[in-house]
Amino acid sequence: MSSPDIASILENSRELDRLRKEQEEVLVEINKLHKKLQATPEVVEKPGDSSLARLKATYIQAKDLSEREVTISNLLLSQLDTFLPSGLPGQQRIKMDGNDSKRKRMKCDSDISRLSPSMWRYIEACVSLKDEQVAARVTSDAEKDEWFVVKVINFDEKTKEFEVLDEEPGDDEEGSGQKKYKLPASCIIPFPKRNDPLSTQEFPAGRNVLAVYPGTTALYKATVISTPRKRKSDEYLLEFDDDEEDGALPQRTVPFHKVVPLPEGHRQ
């Protein structure tokens, strides 16, 4: 499984995580409206009251989020299925007869409890990130997401969590040493392989991306101005959001292997 394949799968898992959080928020709003209407049903008869309109809007939003979740889930399944080997030997042509049937049936039952080949490939891809630098969302609050360059120390196959090390915490971090985090896969984006630019996805001009700001280990939202291919180099020309100087956004160069897709719902 190549780095772009991993990035795509992890990006979709992050989208599922975002959708579920948004569904929870919508459900809270629906419950609030239900309680209001149950406590004071006469409120809907007051001129200008919008309770029913708001309730309808939240139902529509919940339905849209649910349908989006189904779409992303199916996409993830199809992505994982592409890594399933075709024609598993004997999977559909085993004929059981005689005294061997019970023993073979027990073996099949045991096989079902094992992880699928696609999941094994996914786990192996995550494990292969050990000692690699990746982009990680180490903090997330109601206002913004913070992404930093970290080093993968370990991937726990049981909890599906990455243990990562922030080797250069900022000056405002508590303490002065390196910091460790345990993060789900939805908070990790692998960087492109720096020694394999030809197989790396290139983001077109105008695309919003997440990129390492020059001279730091922090990633911020940026817009692609020019691509490495057009520049005939290994660097993008980017404009970072909120990077205004003298009333204009300066254009900065960033190596291709420090630029990743912008996560859905990114807040900065």
Side-chain angles (χ1 to χ4, degrees), residues 12 16 48 105 143 152 160 196-197 249:
N12 283 325
L16 273 183
R105 185 167 56 250
E143 296 182 356
V152 176
K160 305 297 187 296
D196 191 14
L249 291 177

Side-chain angles (χ1 to χ4, degrees), residues 162-178:
F162 286 90
E163 183 178 6
V164 301
L165 177 67
D166 185 356
E167 299 177 286
E168 299 180 30
D171 296 334
D172 56 346
E173 297 280 354
E174 296 181 4
S176 58
Q178 299 176 333

Side-chain angles (χ1 to χ4, degrees), residues 122-184:
Y122 170 73
I123 290 175
E124 288 171 358
C126 291
V127 171
S128 72
L129 291 175
K130 183 177 180 181
D131 296 327
E132 296 280 344
Q133 284 190 331
V134 298
R137 187 182 69 198
V138 297
T139 61
S140 179
D141 54 37
E143 296 182 356
K144 63 180 181 179
D145 301 327
E146 294 185 339
W147 289 80
F148 297 103
V149 178
V150 299
K151 180 180 179 181
V152 176
I153 300 174
N154 185 49
F155 177 72
D156 191 318
E157 297 180 22
K158 293 184 178 179
T159 64
K160 305 297 187 296
E161 286 186 325
F162 286 90
E163 183 178 6
V164 301
L165 177 67
D166 185 356
E167 299 177 286
E168 299 180 30
D171 296 334
D172 56 346
E173 297 280 354
E174 296 181 4
S176 58
Q178 299 176 333
K179 297 192 67 174
K180 291 183 179 180
Y181 301 90
K182 286 190 175 182
L183 303 171

Side-chain angles (χ1 to χ4, degrees), residues 14-30:
R14 280 188 294 273
E15 174 66 0
L16 273 183
D17 184 55
R18 185 193 68 79
L19 287 170
R20 285 164 184 163
K21 288 180 180 178
E22 192 170 347
Q23 285 174 322
E24 291 174 1
E25 294 172 358
V26 172
L27 183 59
V28 169
E29 181 65 20
I30 288 175

